[in-house]
Structures are given as structure tokens and as C-alpha cells.
Amino acid sequence: MKDFKQLIITRRSTRKFTDEPLEAGQVELILKSALMSPASKSSNPWQFVLVEDKEMLEKLSLAKKHGSKLIAGCTLAVIVLADPTRSDVWIEDASIASIMMQLQAEDLGIGSCWVQIRERFTDADTPSDDYIRNLLDIPAQLQVLSVIAFGNKAQDRPPFDEEKLQWEKVHVGKFNINQLID
Ligand SMILES: Cc1cc2nc3c(=O)[nH]c(=O)nc-3n(C[C@H](O)[C@H](O)[C@H](O)COP(=O)(O)O)c2cc1C
């Protein structure tokens, strides 16, 4: 296990993966991190669909005009769903589950990338969530937030440069308008 500070500095989105599949134990740990995510009122409005089938990954990679092609090269996609009838803050709950899985993956040395689905569209201007709902038989009451693509890393990304952190976005005591740059 990495130390947490190191984990945060080295986590970068991975968009190129090797063909080597993840081990069952690794997948289990990633899913455990989602199922242990904090959720408002413990309503746990999320559901997760795992896809490893190459043909289905190819189809999922067409879910958006831009930014989803990388799914075709991953070895595991976790589609993060949530039920708005169970929680008014389902977006937050599902987002937290998404990042928890990414952090657990990074701790295992596995690469991942968040692919945004909610509020996005396919090439044919179909809502990306409807496109995925149809592909995977997802019930209408469930919203599709994201696809998290996982796989063994086939690219090296540099860690964060702490010299470049946007400290001007941090306000002490009260908001300082002079720190607003953009
Ligand atoms: C809400 C959200 C949506 C994102 N959507 C996409 C996406 O659709 N496609 C993609 O390639 N990356 C996506 N990303 C990854 C970001 O582009 C990436 O986190 C950002 O550029 C910072 O780079 P880093 O993760 O390597 O630090 C998304 C990240 C977040 C948090």
C-alpha cells in the first residue's frame, strides 16, 4: 500500500492500458471501495455494472462524441448508476463512489479514467445515458453518471508538480476577491 500523500500526488488519469486482465482479487477490492463509499443518509442509491467483454467495451467507447474512445482499450469498465428516487443527492453519492474506486485502483498500481456520461451526447446526439441504458438493459429509473475505465497501465504519467498548485483558490477566513484570476 502506498502512503496516502504519495497516492494523491501520483494518481493521474490513465487512458492507455495493456491487454493483461485485472486479477479477481483486485476487482473485488475496487468494488468493495465503491460499496463502502459514504452516501448521504446511508441511502446507498448506487448500482454498478461490470463490463469486461471486448465487444461491449467497443460499443461503450462510442457513448460520447469526445472522451470515451479510451474505453475500447480498457480491460474493465464499471458503469456507475444511481437512483434519484432513493436520494436527492445521488450525483454526489455516485461521484464519491467513482473516485473511491479510482483511488483504490491507484493504490493497487492499476490505471483508471473517469468517463463522464451524465449530460453528454453521442455522435448522433443521443443522450449518452440513454445509449448506455439501451446497451446494458438498465432500468429507466436509474441514471448513468459515469463509466470508470480500469486496466493495467500502458503509459507513464508524471506525478503532480506541487509547485503548480492553485493556492489562490484557497481563501482564509473569508473570500478574497483579489485572489480571483479567471
Ligand atoms: C467529472 C469528471 C469527468 C471526466 N470526464 C472525462 C471524460 O469523459 N473523458 C476523459 O478522458 N477524461 C475525463 N475525466 C478525467 C479528467 O480529464 C482528468 O481528471 C483531468 O484532466 C485531470 O487529469 P488527471 O486525472 O490526470 O490528474 C473526467 C474527470 C472528472 C472528475
Side-chain angles (χ1 to χ4, degrees):
M1 180 178 146
K2 289 187 183 116
D3 113 289
F4 192 72
K5 176 173 178 275
Q6 210 48 36
L7 179 73
I8 295 297
I9 293 172
T10 52
R11 183 221 54 82
R12 303 298 312 276
S13 297
T14 300
R15 298 185 177 83
K16 292 194 176 106
F17 306 96
T18 70
D19 290 335
E20 188 195 349
L22 301 184
E23 294 163 15
Q26 294 176 318
V27 175
E28 187 183 344
L29 278 175
I30 290 170
L31 292 170
K32 276 186 175 174
S33 74
L35 296 171
M36 284 192 257
S37 301
S40 173
K41 300 178 188 166
S42 296
S43 60
N44 301 1
W46 15 251
Q47 304 269 343
F48 306 95
V49 180
L50 272 60
V51 175
E52 292 178 307
D53 176 69
K54 198 77 197 144
E55 224 171 275
M56 187 57 86
L57 291 173
E58 295 273 354
K59 289 182 183 162
L60 287 170
S61 79
L62 305 176
K64 299 208 302 177
K65 290 186 214 295
H66 308 287
S68 57
K69 304 284 177 287
L70 66 106
I71 298 172
C74 78
T75 50
L76 168 71
V78 177
I79 295 81
V80 181
L81 316 171
D83 185 344
T85 67
R86 283 182 165 265
S87 173
D88 56 347
V89 291
W90 64 271
I91 297 174
E92 289 84 344
D93 292 340
S95 297
I96 289 167
S98 299
I99 192 67
M100 289 282 276
M101 288 192 284
Q102 289 196 271
L103 291 175
Q104 175 61 81
E106 181 63 37
D107 193 49
L108 295 166
I110 292 165
S112 72
C113 189
W114 180 314
V115 177
Q116 180 67 20
I117 298 302
R118 194 183 69 83
E119 301 289 348
R120 297 291 183 262
F121 295 87
T122 67
D123 267 343
D125 278 333
T126 303
S128 300
D129 56 351
D130 285 346
Y131 174 81
I132 290 186
R133 196 173 284 117
N134 287 335
L135 273 183
L136 302 175
D137 297 338
I138 295 164
Q141 90 255 23
L142 291 173
Q143 298 294 316
V144 187
L145 178 94
S146 63
V147 174
I148 310 297
F150 296 95
N152 287 299
K153 298 177 187 180
Q155 63 178 150
D156 270 334
R157 303 259 347 253
F160 275 93
D161 179 354
E162 292 194 59
E163 296 296 317
K164 293 190 179 149
L165 293 182
Q166 297 169 302
W167 284 105
E168 70 279 6
K169 301 211 170 180
V170 178
H171 305 261
V172 178
K174 61 180 181 175
F175 194 90
N176 182 353
I177 196 75
N178 298 321
Q179 288 179 214
L180 260 190
I181 291 173
D182 41 57

